[in-house]
Amino acid sequence: MAQPIVQTIHRDPALFWWILLPITVVMVLTGILRHYAMILLQTAPKKQTLPQIRQQRSLVRGINLRTNARVLPPASFQARKAFMVSAYQEGKFLADPEARGKPRPNPMSDPAAMEGMMGMMKGNMAMMVPQTLIMGWINAFFSGFVIMKLPFPLTPQFKSMLQSGVGTRDLDVRWVSSLSWYFLTLFGLQPVYNFILGSNNSATQSTQQMAANPGAGMMGPEQDPDKLFLSEAENLEVLEYRWVLEGVEDRLVAKFA
Amino acid sequence: MSHANLLAPPSSIPPPTALSLSQKAPLILSSSPTSSLPWPLSLLFSRESPESWTIHENLLLSSLRTGDDKAARQILDRLTTRFGAANERVVALRGIYEEALATTPAELEKVFQGYEKILREDPTNLAVRKRRVAVLKSLGRPADAITALTVLLEHSPTDLEAWAELGELYAAQGLWSQAIFCLEEVLLVLPNAWSAHAQLATLYYLSTPSSLSTLSLSLRYFCRSIELNDSYLRGYYGLKLASQKLIPLLSDSTSVKRNNNPEEEEAGPPPKLATVKKLEELATSKLAEIVRQYGAGNKGWAGLDEAEVIAARALLDRDGKMER
């Protein structure tokens, strides 16, 4: 077999107009619709109370002291360190001093945590429902159609990706079925959405999940603030301190000499 | 004059720049950022961007500064229709507008009462808290302003603006060590701010003008600010003043020995006499260069504040007379 036989399938040109184009257009429009639906579904982030702001910013202050300690003269650094460590250990900055030392309440019973979960649920629902509907629609009307031929050759591993819904073993990999075209558009339309909606859109799942919990690392609801304070106090205590102003005058003279 | 830009105005703009900024108001006000088309079309054809609202905000501030109250009112109305009257920023901006329009202390007092009311309803509105401090300051009640700021900082201890403002208030009262503490907090948030370093150095310089340890601290902070920005006029100016005061203290050997008490050793050993002399020469030559370049109208040096250059020239002249 010197030359591989080139498969030719005579397709109706109407396939392009009645299947390929509708699927693509529907997918793009669903993405845009989902973007605006997500904006409508989003609840405004809940406002922090004053003690909560204080708790969070006091922790940030300690972190600032630890990272930028070098700008302080030794005496004022030691004074600040002593104050922060003892205040942290006594839990002076806690928003809720009574809850100190008690085990964390069940997140299910906490209304704030429930709200966050509801937000995630909504996002997932906005993703799942249209996907299920569109997939059902494609399966009902267009299953088994071979709608296009890729202009480049591919290895047989792509067969399952490009020809789902078509049960022919010998078909060349370059032929794409309608259901596969749906999957390709589902995962590959992000640049198109970026072009239409701007870069931080919520048209696809990936960006949506990242937006679901912003800044959860710092002081998310799942972390105990008291533990954070205690560990920060420990960090401050073991900090290796060096004053940046030591010998600065000699450095400057050397720089301009 | 530095290039005026509505998107990012410098924190302190000289009056001519503010005027030129506020003169752009008619142009910006003539075109609406929001589209007048009905709903689905307005989404597609709107020219609104986050920048357009930054421009509005800065324009509001400049036009208030130049007394263009009518334009300010229009901008404020626009912001209110876009973001709603309850938006935190809009509330603060309206407060600024009312403060600017108040002419008598009684009217200011009324604005102040308005702030108190807002804060009773929403104690977390930090922008209004800061406006409240500003009103207290312009009413001439610095002690109350200091109390209000300490309450604010108790709840939001990483607020740069508030620390700097509190430091300024303390310094105006002559409470140097408190002012120094505040400036150190500013440095903890912005460790590479040369202007904050110079400010801290100035406070040390002013606090106890004849103590060896504070003067050497002041000298070191000025050095650091020059190290961070080697064309910083204020740093050189302060370096020259501080080193001029230090040289006689250091040459007087008794005062060096007298300073062996433990409290003053905390700040490290005092700098060497030769180094300080070299620094003084360096500052003098740099200042002379800056003054010369500015006088020659050299392009790269045109961004300097004129008043600062005049002060530097005066310092150099005075120095020259003493030597002669």
Side-chain angles (χ1 to χ4, degrees):
Chain A
M1 229 197 253
Q3 277 275 316
I5 305 156
V6 179
Q7 286 179 344
T8 45
I9 299 176
H10 291 287
R11 285 161 297 153
D12 191 343
L15 281 178
F16 175 78
W17 293 107
W18 291 101
I19 300 181
L20 188 69
L21 208 64
I23 291 178
T24 318
V25 169
V26 164
M27 288 305 291
V28 172
L29 286 182
T30 343
I32 294 173
L33 202 69
R34 184 180 310 122
H35 172 70
Y36 285 113
M38 284 311 297
I39 290 179
L40 287 182
L41 284 176
Q42 252 166 19
T43 46
K46 217 176 155 200
K47 244 185 168 178
Q48 282 182 311
T49 60
L50 210 52
Q52 273 168 344
I53 293 178
R54 177 165 176 255
Q55 170 179 296
Q56 192 202 342
R57 298 204 176 159
S58 301
L59 185 68
V60 175
R61 186 185 183 193
I63 294 170
N64 276 341
L65 176 63
R66 177 159 54 88
T67 47
N68 300 329
R70 63 204 154 78
V71 300
L72 293 181
S76 39
F77 170 69
Q78 296 300 345
R80 274 187 173 75
K81 187 174 110 176
F83 167 71
M84 293 302 260
V85 167
S86 74
Y88 279 171
Q89 281 169 348
E90 287 163 25
K92 264 189 195 160
F93 299 127
L94 287 177
D96 187 10
E98 274 94 60
R100 203 175 174 223
K102 284 182 196 153
R104 294 284 301 154
N106 185 358
M108 281 299 172
S109 64
D110 185 6
M114 274 305 277
E115 218 159 86
M117 267 186 258
M118 276 304 285
M120 250 192 276
M121 281 271 285
K122 275 187 223 161
N124 282 337
M125 287 309 281
M127 193 69 201
M128 297 257 288
V129 171
Q131 275 348 318
T132 328
L133 289 179
I134 294 170
M135 206 164 149
W137 168 65
I138 288 172
N139 257 335
F141 290 98
F142 311 131
S143 71
F145 282 102
V146 172
I147 55 172
M148 64 186 279
K149 189 186 180 190
L150 295 175
F152 45 85
L154 283 170
T155 52
Q157 276 89 339
F158 286 96
K159 207 169 169 61
S160 61
M161 188 175 120
L162 293 178
Q163 291 176 0
S164 52
V166 180
T168 324
R169 249 197 307 142
D170 297 334
L171 196 64
D172 192 5
V173 192
R174 292 162 70 180
W175 297 100
V176 179
S177 74
S178 54
L179 196 62
S180 297
W181 180 247
Y182 160 73
F183 282 118
L184 288 184
T185 49
L186 176 62
F187 295 115
L189 275 182
Q190 183 65 43
V192 179
Y193 296 136
N194 283 352
F195 177 67
I196 302 174
L197 299 169
S199 54
N200 54 355
N201 61 68
S202 49
T204 49
Q205 184 85 56
S206 56
T207 49
Q208 210 279 307
Q209 268 172 350
M210 269 189 283
N213 46 356
M218 241 327 274
M219 196 185 261
E222 64 278 347
Q223 270 167 311
D224 186 0
D226 189 36
K227 289 227 178 77
L228 286 175
F229 277 133
L230 288 180
S231 76
E232 188 54 43
E234 217 163 278
N235 284 341
L236 272 176
E237 266 180 340
V238 298
L239 179 68
E240 195 180 330
Y241 165 76
R242 212 187 120 260
W243 192 27
V244 76
L245 258 61
E246 212 167 281
V248 66
E249 65 271 9
D250 296 326
R251 285 208 301 272
L252 203 66
V253 166
K255 190 178 163 193
F256 285 100
Chain B
M1 205 45 52
S2 58
H3 178 64
N5 180 2
L6 268 178
L7 257 182
S11 51
S12 65
I13 43 179
T17 319
L19 185 63
S20 77
L21 281 181
S22 82
Q23 275 160 356
K24 293 180 183 163
L27 184 73
I28 291 171
L29 282 172
S30 65
S31 67
S32 161
T34 45
S35 172
S36 52
L37 291 163
W39 172 64
L41 291 175
S42 64
L43 283 179
L44 294 173
F45 296 105
S46 127
R47 273 170 298 133
E48 182 185 352
S49 61
E51 287 82 25
S52 63
W53 296 114
T54 319
I55 288 174
H56 273 79
E57 213 169 273
N58 292 329
L59 191 63
L60 174 66
L61 296 180
S62 324
S63 44
L64 280 179
R65 235 184 112 174
T66 48
D68 190 356
D69 296 336
K70 238 193 239 160
R73 180 79 235 175
Q74 266 175 302
I75 301 165
L76 188 65
D77 286 343
R78 241 182 219 193
L79 287 166
T80 315
T81 43
R82 175 66 181 78
F83 295 103
N87 184 291
E88 264 184 39
R89 274 184 103 95
V90 173
V91 167
L93 286 174
R94 191 179 320 118
I96 294 177
Y97 173 77
E98 280 163 6
E99 275 172 54
L101 254 60
T103 45
T104 57
E107 277 174 42
L108 263 184
E109 192 73 40
K110 231 167 89 189
V111 178
F112 180 73
Q113 297 302 333
Y115 288 155
E116 295 273 290
K117 197 165 152 258
I118 296 169
L119 284 178
R120 262 198 300 278
E121 278 158 22
D122 176 18
T124 59
N125 195 338
L126 291 177
V128 169
R129 260 175 206 271
K130 286 186 193 166
R131 289 319 311 165
R132 190 170 159 259
V133 173
V135 174
L136 282 173
K137 226 175 109 184
S138 40
L139 279 173
R141 285 153 63 183
D144 289 337
I146 287 176
T147 324
L149 268 178
T150 43
V151 172
L152 193 158
L153 285 169
E154 167 74 26
H155 290 108
S156 167
T158 51
D159 197 319
L160 205 69
E161 265 179 357
W163 278 117
E165 184 69 37
L166 185 60
E168 211 168 282
L169 283 170
Y170 273 132
Q173 304 287 306
L175 299 165
W176 302 113
S177 59
Q178 281 91 334
I180 287 168
F181 181 89
C182 295
L183 256 291
E184 280 174 354
E185 286 291 331
V186 172
L187 275 189
L188 280 179
V189 182
L190 277 185
N192 293 331
W194 55 81
S195 52
H197 275 97
Q199 179 69 19
L200 188 52
T202 316
L203 290 175
Y204 272 120
Y205 180 80
L206 291 173
S207 60
T208 34
S210 57
S211 143
L212 182 64
S213 72
T214 49
L215 271 181
S216 47
L217 260 175
S218 165
L219 181 87
R220 286 197 170 117
Y221 274 110
F222 276 127
C223 284
R224 176 72 183 154
S225 86
I226 294 169
E227 194 178 37
L228 290 166
N229 176 1
D230 58 10
S231 55
Y232 189 45
L233 196 155
R234 220 179 123 195
Y236 287 115
Y237 191 97
L239 183 62
K240 187 167 164 57
L241 286 181
S243 51
Q244 273 176 342
K245 280 213 173 176
L246 259 178
I247 289 171
L249 279 179
L250 282 171
S251 1
D252 184 13
S253 55
T254 50
S255 73
V256 179
K257 276 186 194 126
R258 195 152 41 78
N259 271 306
N260 271 345
N261 50 1
E263 185 215 345
E264 301 211 332
E265 264 184 14
E266 290 265 316
K272 288 191 275 307
L273 182 59
T275 320
V276 178
K277 276 190 174 154
K278 263 187 211 155
L279 284 174
E280 206 257 328
E281 279 164 28
L282 170 75
T284 314
S285 67
K286 272 280 177 182
L287 279 177
E289 191 196 342
I290 291 172
V291 167
R292 193 162 42 79
Q293 298 274 22
Y294 187 82
N298 212 327
K299 266 248 150 100
W301 302 81
L304 290 168
D305 189 0
E306 199 175 351
E308 284 187 1
V309 177
I310 291 171
R313 191 179 298 140
L315 177 73
L316 287 175
D317 286 350
R318 199 167 61 217
D319 208 37
K321 259 181 223 140
M322 276 202 301
E323 273 168 24
R324 250 180 266 139

